[in-house]
Amino acid sequence: MRFFIILFLTTIISHAESKKETIIAIQPLGEVQQVRLDIVKKGLEDAFGLKVETLEAKPLPKEAWYEPRSRYRADKLLDFLSDQTAAKYHIVIGLTSKDISTTKDEHEDWGIFGLGELGGRVCVVSTFRLNARGADEAKLRERMRKIAIHEVGHVMGLPHCPTKGCVMRDAESSILTVDEEDGRFCGACKAVCWK
C-alpha cells in the first residue's frame, strides 16, 4: 500500500511540474548582440516567471526575403520558427536586427516592430526600427524588451489593450507609444494571462 501511495504522489508531482515547465525559447535570426539577447531573456523571465533559453543563432530563411522592399516578411519568419524549433519549446520568439514587415489594412508590405501569433506558439521582434527619434543603445534595448513582452503576450492569447501604459497597447506604428509603457501588464491583461 505504501508503494502505491508513493507512486501516486510521484505521478501527481511530476504532472504538476510538467504543466508549469513552460519554456520560452529565444531564437536569434542572423547576428544579434549578446547583450540584447540577455536583456530580452531577463525581461521575459521577469514578466512571465517562466524559464527562458537562448538558442544558437540561425540564418534568416531565404524564403522570407521580400525583394521589392529589401526586407523580410514576418509571417514567413513565423512559419520558419514554428517549423525549425523543437516542440519542447512552448513559446518561441525570434530576434533579428533586420527589417521585417507584414500586410496591414490596405498596405501590402508594412514595416513593423514585431509580430506574434495570437494564442499560437511563435513571434518575432526586429530591432531595425527601434533606434527611431535618435534613441541611444540603452533606449533601443528598453524598447526591444517591451516589444518582446508584448509579442509573447500575444502568443499567450492577449489581444491589444486600450489601457494607456499597458504593455499590450497597440503601438499604432509609433515608437512613442512604446516609450509611454513601462513594460508591465495592466490589471485586466494580467488577470487573463495568469488565470
Side-chain angles (χ1 to χ4, degrees):
M1 179 71 164
R2 181 182 251 175
F3 172 76
F4 289 112
I5 291 172
I6 291 171
L7 181 63
F8 178 71
L9 289 174
T10 304
T11 304
I12 288 176
I13 291 168
S14 174
H15 180 69
E17 285 177 354
S18 70
K19 273 185 83 176
K20 67 180 184 180
E21 189 58 31
T22 298
I23 304 171
I24 299 174
I26 298 173
Q27 177 60 71
L29 296 170
E31 285 188 39
V32 181
Q33 295 175 15
Q34 185 62 49
V35 67
R36 292 178 178 179
L37 295 171
D38 293 343
I39 293 286
V40 170
K41 182 176 190 287
K42 173 112 173 65
L44 295 175
E45 288 170 343
D46 291 347
F48 297 100
L50 298 173
K51 182 177 180 181
V52 181
E53 294 180 14
T54 303
L55 308 177
E56 290 293 319
K58 291 184 178 179
L60 285 103
K62 291 177 184 169
E63 61 271 16
W65 180 247
Y66 186 66
E67 184 64 38
R69 300 295 295 275
S70 298
R71 54 190 178 193
Y72 290 86
R73 294 291 295 181
D75 54 326
K76 294 197 183 270
L77 292 176
L78 295 184
D79 292 342
F80 174 80
L81 290 167
S82 185
D83 293 343
Q84 298 296 316
T85 312
K88 74 174 186 174
Y89 299 112
H90 304 93
I91 298 169
V92 181
I93 177 169
L95 291 180
T96 184
S97 61
K98 301 298 183 183
D99 196 12
I100 62 174
S101 63
T102 192
T103 301
K104 180 180 178 180
D105 303 324
E106 72 278 0
H107 304 283
E108 185 180 329
D109 188 65
W110 184 260
I112 56 174
F113 307 135
L115 184 69
E117 267 182 340
L118 187 62
R121 180 175 172 250
V122 295
C123 58
V124 64
V125 171
S126 167
T127 61
F128 186 83
R129 299 171 182 278
L130 302 187
N131 62 354
R133 298 186 172 265
D136 61 10
E137 180 64 20
K139 176 69 88 176
L140 182 146
R141 291 175 188 168
E142 180 64 12
R143 290 170 171 174
M144 181 181 59
R145 179 186 69 83
K146 293 176 193 177
I147 293 167
I149 294 167
H150 176 100
E151 297 306 340
V152 170
H154 281 321
V155 172
M156 294 183 81
L158 290 172
H160 284 142
C161 176
T163 305
K164 187 173 182 175
C166 179
V167 74
M168 292 311 298
R169 187 169 175 213
D170 186 352
E172 298 176 0
S173 306
S174 174
I175 200 67
L176 295 177
T177 306
V178 176
D179 290 341
E180 290 174 356
E181 303 162 3
D182 63 6
R184 294 190 182 123
F185 297 98
C186 69
C189 288
K190 193 166 189 176
V192 170
C193 206
W194 282 270
K195 66 179 176 179

